[in-house]
Amino acid sequence: MAQFEPVCDRVANSGNAPAAPRSDSLIKDATILFVTANCAGVFNLLFQLFLVRKLSQSDFGLLNALLVLITNLTIVAGPFQTVTTKFIATYRAENDWGTIARFFKKFGRHVLGFAFISSGLICAAHLWIRRFFNMPPVLESSLLVVLAAVIVGVSTVAPFLLGGLQGLQKFKSYGIYSMLSAVLKFFLAVFFVGIGWRVAGALFAIFLAAVFAVALTLIPLWKYIVAPAGCRPIPTAPVYQFILPTIIALFSFACLTSLDMLLVRRFFSEEEAGIYAIVQMV
């Protein structure tokens, strides 16, 4: 699997050129992540402020409730990023590219399974979700819930791929892709909401930005994913022994901190729910 060894590693190991000091590399990577993370944060804030200005109170309340639902359901994918980073970084340190390919193939199927199941469950329960959020009984309401389900599916896959970038120490790609996704989401929201798509426009902007981020992330990871898998076994039990308790803890915390938004949307008027969502941003 030497063909999958990064060029910089081959040059450093060949003795023809000295390797850069690890401290310099660490500072460079940390600076890139710091700058790109702050830029992404600025555009995420602009995204929220734009929607507050352009959407009505009832529309913003509905959007915020759907985003809470999306966030709570995709939070279970967060531990996959951590565990992927850990295992990929370990195999990279050993130059075991075949096992990296095996890890991507094995747990990639697991993540895709979770994504399809979660999206399918939301689609199946779209009528109940529509009634719970007091959405009007029209086709547009069902389409909003289905769009939220698709966003959940894409957002479940993204952390797994981002964990791969971190484990392979592609920090520049990780930071730039995250920043570009936030920038694209903002400008798409400006366009779609500006032409009158309202809540659907905001959700569609989030969906396209998420797909864009996943597609970009696959570019540097593709050669590792499609590489021949090694024979080294990858234990499943230790991975899920870490993931499952973390998922339970994160999901429980998310429910405690966001349940109020769902209940306000359920038991109060649309305008009051919108006002509450706006005040919650402060």
Side-chain angles (χ1 to χ4, degrees):
M1 296 303 297
Q3 65 270 30
F4 298 105
E5 184 178 359
V7 174
C8 59
D9 289 348
R10 294 201 300 267
V11 172
N13 295 334
S14 64
N16 296 329
R22 293 185 63 86
S23 58
D24 292 347
S25 177
L26 178 63
I27 293 173
K28 179 182 177 181
D29 293 337
T31 302
I32 292 173
L33 288 176
F34 176 79
V35 172
T36 53
N38 279 277
C39 289
V42 169
F43 278 95
N44 284 328
L45 177 60
L46 291 175
F47 173 79
Q48 291 284 345
L49 294 176
F50 172 78
L51 294 179
V52 169
R53 290 280 297 173
K54 292 298 181 180
L55 294 179
S56 65
Q57 292 177 355
S58 59
D59 282 345
F60 188 79
L62 174 59
L63 174 64
N64 201 49
L66 290 173
L67 290 180
V68 168
L69 176 66
I70 292 170
T71 302
N72 285 357
L73 293 177
T74 56
I75 201 171
V76 300
F80 273 105
Q81 181 170 346
T82 304
V83 76
T84 300
T85 301
K86 175 182 180 298
F87 277 84
I88 296 297
T90 300
Y91 300 142
R92 183 189 184 279
E94 300 171 357
N95 289 328
D96 193 349
W97 310 108
T99 305
I100 289 177
R102 185 181 180 89
F103 184 92
F104 276 126
K105 289 179 173 65
K106 179 177 182 178
F107 288 98
R109 289 193 293 268
H110 293 192
V111 172
L112 285 175
F114 286 129
F116 280 113
I117 290 173
S118 56
S119 297
L121 289 176
I122 296 175
C123 290
H126 75 278
L127 293 177
W128 181 85
I129 294 173
R130 195 179 70 184
R131 287 194 296 268
F132 184 85
F133 286 156
N134 294 319
M135 300 168 69
V138 295
L139 178 61
E140 181 184 356
S141 298
S142 296
L143 291 178
L144 289 178
V145 177
V146 171
L147 185 54
V150 176
I151 294 173
V152 168
V154 177
S155 301
T156 300
V157 175
F160 174 71
L161 298 176
L162 292 175
L165 286 181
Q166 288 182 300
L168 292 168
Q169 298 182 14
K170 297 182 180 294
F171 300 111
K172 182 185 296 185
S173 298
Y174 177 89
I176 292 175
Y177 296 167
S178 300
M179 180 185 67
L180 290 178
S181 176
V183 173
L184 181 65
K185 179 176 67 175
F186 169 70
F187 284 107
L188 287 176
V190 170
F191 175 74
F192 290 128
V193 175
I195 63 176
W197 286 17
R198 299 163 53 199
V199 178
L203 289 177
F204 198 54
I206 295 171
F207 166 70
L208 290 181
V211 171
F212 175 76
V214 169
L216 281 182
T217 306
L218 282 172
I219 294 175
L221 293 180
W222 190 249
K223 66 178 181 179
Y224 301 98
I225 295 174
V226 301
C231 299
R232 179 177 176 181
I234 300 178
T236 302
V239 174
Y240 285 100
Q241 284 174 358
F242 169 81
I243 287 178
L244 292 179
T246 308
I247 287 176
I248 294 173
L250 289 176
F251 184 75
S252 301
F253 180 77
C255 288
L256 287 174
T257 56
S258 61
L259 186 61
D260 58 332
M261 189 62 242
L262 300 179
L263 294 178
V264 167
R265 178 68 196 184
R266 177 70 179 92
F267 295 107
F268 290 83
S269 68
E270 295 180 354
E271 288 73 19
E272 289 173 326
I275 294 172
Y276 186 85
I278 295 172
V279 173
Q280 194 182 46
M281 292 179 56
V282 179

CSV table of all heavy atoms in Angstrom, one decimal, residues 152-174:
chain,number,residue,atom,x,y,z
A,152,VAL,N,-31.0,15.3,7.9
A,152,VAL,CA,-30.5,14.4,9.0
A,152,VAL,C,-29.6,13.3,8.4
A,152,VAL,O,-28.5,13.0,9.0
A,152,VAL,CB,-31.7,13.8,9.8
A,152,VAL,CG1,-31.2,12.7,10.7
A,152,VAL,CG2,-32.4,14.9,10.6
A,153,GLY,N,-30.0,12.8,7.3
A,153,GLY,CA,-29.2,11.7,6.7
A,153,GLY,C,-27.9,12.2,6.3
A,153,GLY,O,-26.8,11.5,6.6
A,154,VAL,N,-27.8,13.3,5.6
A,154,VAL,CA,-26.5,13.8,5.1
A,154,VAL,C,-25.6,14.3,6.3
A,154,VAL,O,-24.4,14.0,6.3
A,154,VAL,CB,-26.7,15.0,4.2
A,154,VAL,CG1,-25.4,15.6,3.7
A,154,VAL,CG2,-27.5,14.6,2.9
A,155,SER,N,-26.2,14.9,7.3
A,155,SER,CA,-25.5,15.3,8.5
A,155,SER,C,-25.0,14.2,9.3
A,155,SER,O,-24.1,14.4,10.2
A,155,SER,CB,-26.4,16.3,9.3
A,155,SER,OG,-26.8,17.4,8.5
A,156,THR,N,-25.6,13.0,9.2
A,156,THR,CA,-25.1,11.8,9.9
A,156,THR,C,-23.8,11.3,9.3
A,156,THR,O,-22.9,10.8,10.0
A,156,THR,CB,-26.2,10.8,9.9
A,156,THR,OG1,-27.4,11.3,10.5
A,156,THR,CG2,-25.7,9.5,10.7
A,157,VAL,N,-23.7,11.4,8.0
A,157,VAL,CA,-22.5,10.9,7.3
A,157,VAL,C,-21.3,11.9,7.5
A,157,VAL,O,-20.1,11.4,7.6
A,157,VAL,CB,-22.8,10.7,5.8
A,157,VAL,CG1,-21.6,10.3,5.0
A,157,VAL,CG2,-23.9,9.7,5.6
A,158,ALA,N,-21.6,13.2,7.5
A,158,ALA,CA,-20.5,14.2,7.5
A,158,ALA,C,-19.5,14.0,8.6
A,158,ALA,O,-18.3,14.1,8.4
A,158,ALA,CB,-21.1,15.6,7.5
A,159,PRO,N,-19.9,13.8,9.9
A,159,PRO,CA,-18.9,13.7,11.0
A,159,PRO,C,-17.9,12.5,10.8
A,159,PRO,O,-16.8,12.6,11.1
A,159,PRO,CB,-19.8,13.5,12.2
A,159,PRO,CG,-21.1,14.1,11.9
A,159,PRO,CD,-21.3,13.8,10.5
A,160,PHE,N,-18.4,11.4,10.2
A,160,PHE,CA,-17.6,10.2,10.0
A,160,PHE,C,-16.5,10.6,9.0
A,160,PHE,O,-15.3,10.3,9.2
A,160,PHE,CB,-18.4,9.1,9.4
A,160,PHE,CG,-17.6,7.9,9.0
A,160,PHE,CD1,-17.0,7.1,9.9
A,160,PHE,CD2,-17.5,7.6,7.6
A,160,PHE,CE1,-16.3,6.0,9.5
A,160,PHE,CE2,-16.8,6.5,7.2
A,160,PHE,CZ,-16.2,5.7,8.1
A,161,LEU,N,-16.8,11.3,7.9
A,161,LEU,CA,-15.8,11.7,6.9
A,161,LEU,C,-14.8,12.8,7.5
A,161,LEU,O,-13.6,12.8,7.3
A,161,LEU,CB,-16.5,12.3,5.7
A,161,LEU,CG,-17.4,11.3,5.0
A,161,LEU,CD1,-18.1,12.0,3.8
A,161,LEU,CD2,-16.6,10.1,4.5
A,162,LEU,N,-15.4,13.7,8.3
A,162,LEU,CA,-14.5,14.7,8.9
A,162,LEU,C,-13.5,14.1,9.9
A,162,LEU,O,-12.4,14.5,10.0
A,162,LEU,CB,-15.4,15.8,9.6
A,162,LEU,CG,-16.2,16.7,8.7
A,162,LEU,CD1,-17.1,17.6,9.5
A,162,LEU,CD2,-15.3,17.5,7.8
A,163,GLY,N,-14.0,13.1,10.6
A,163,GLY,CA,-13.1,12.3,11.5
A,163,GLY,C,-12.0,11.7,10.7
A,163,GLY,O,-10.8,11.6,11.2
A,164,GLY,N,-12.3,11.2,9.5
A,164,GLY,CA,-11.2,10.7,8.6
A,164,GLY,C,-10.2,11.7,8.2
A,164,GLY,O,-9.0,11.4,8.2
A,165,LEU,N,-10.6,12.9,7.9
A,165,LEU,CA,-9.7,14.0,7.6
A,165,LEU,C,-8.8,14.3,8.8
A,165,LEU,O,-7.6,14.5,8.6
A,165,LEU,CB,-10.4,15.2,7.2
A,165,LEU,CG,-11.1,15.3,5.8
A,165,LEU,CD1,-11.8,16.6,5.6
A,165,LEU,CD2,-10.1,15.0,4.7
A,166,GLN,N,-9.4,14.4,10.0
A,166,GLN,CA,-8.6,14.6,11.2
A,166,GLN,C,-7.6,13.5,11.4
A,166,GLN,O,-6.4,13.8,11.8
A,166,GLN,CB,-9.5,14.8,12.4
A,166,GLN,CG,-10.3,16.1,12.4
A,166,GLN,CD,-11.1,16.3,13.6
A,166,GLN,OE1,-12.0,15.5,13.9
A,166,GLN,NE2,-10.9,17.4,14.3
A,167,GLY,N,-8.0,12.3,11.3
A,167,GLY,CA,-7.1,11.2,11.6
A,167,GLY,C,-6.0,11.1,10.6
A,167,GLY,O,-4.8,10.7,11.0
A,168,LEU,N,-6.2,11.5,9.4
A,168,LEU,CA,-5.1,11.5,8.4
A,168,LEU,C,-4.3,12.8,8.4
A,168,LEU,O,-3.5,13.0,7.5
A,168,LEU,CB,-5.8,11.4,7.0
A,168,LEU,CG,-6.4,10.0,6.7
A,168,LEU,CD1,-7.2,10.0,5.4
A,168,LEU,CD2,-5.3,8.9,6.6
A,169,GLN,N,-4.7,13.7,9.4
A,169,GLN,CA,-4.0,14.9,9.6
A,169,GLN,C,-4.1,15.9,8.4
A,169,GLN,O,-3.2,16.7,8.1
A,169,GLN,CB,-2.5,14.7,9.9
A,169,GLN,CG,-2.3,13.9,11.2
A,169,GLN,CD,-0.8,13.7,11.6
A,169,GLN,OE1,0.1,14.3,11.0
A,169,GLN,NE2,-0.6,12.7,12.5
A,170,LYS,N,-5.2,15.9,7.8
A,170,LYS,CA,-5.5,16.8,6.7
A,170,LYS,C,-6.3,18.0,7.3
A,170,LYS,O,-7.4,18.2,6.9
A,170,LYS,CB,-6.3,16.1,5.6
A,170,LYS,CG,-5.5,15.0,4.9
A,170,LYS,CD,-6.3,14.4,3.8
A,170,LYS,CE,-5.5,13.2,3.1
A,170,LYS,NZ,-4.3,13.7,2.4
A,171,PHE,N,-5.6,18.7,8.2
A,171,PHE,CA,-6.3,19.8,8.9
A,171,PHE,C,-6.6,21.0,8.0
A,171,PHE,O,-7.6,21.6,8.2
A,171,PHE,CB,-5.4,20.2,10.1
A,171,PHE,CG,-5.1,19.1,11.0
A,171,PHE,CD1,-3.8,18.6,11.2
A,171,PHE,CD2,-6.0,18.6,11.8
A,171,PHE,CE1,-3.5,17.6,12.0
A,171,PHE,CE2,-5.8,17.6,12.7
A,171,PHE,CZ,-4.5,17.1,12.8
A,172,LYS,N,-5.8,21.2,7.0
A,172,LYS,CA,-6.1,22.3,6.1
A,172,LYS,C,-7.4,22.1,5.4
A,172,LYS,O,-8.3,22.9,5.3
A,172,LYS,CB,-5.0,22.5,5.1
A,172,LYS,CG,-5.2,23.7,4.2
A,172,LYS,CD,-4.1,23.8,3.1
A,172,LYS,CE,-2.7,24.1,3.8
A,172,LYS,NZ,-1.7,24.3,2.7
A,173,SER,N,-7.5,20.9,4.9
A,173,SER,CA,-8.8,20.5,4.2
A,173,SER,C,-10.0,20.6,5.1
A,173,SER,O,-11.0,21.1,4.8
A,173,SER,CB,-8.7,19.1,3.5
A,173,SER,OG,-7.6,19.1,2.6
A,174,TYR,N,-9.8,20.0,6.3
A,174,TYR,CA,-10.9,20.0,7.3
A,174,TYR,C,-11.4,21.4,7.6
A,174,TYR,O,-12.6,21.7,7.6
A,174,TYR,CB,-10.4,19.4,8.6
A,174,TYR,CG,-11.4,19.4,9.7
A,174,TYR,CD1,-12.2,18.3,9.9
A,174,TYR,CD2,-11.4,20.4,10.7
A,174,TYR,CE1,-13.2,18.3,10.9
A,174,TYR,CE2,-12.3,20.4,11.7
A,174,TYR,CZ,-13.2,19.4,11.8
A,174,TYR,OH,-14.1,19.4,12.9
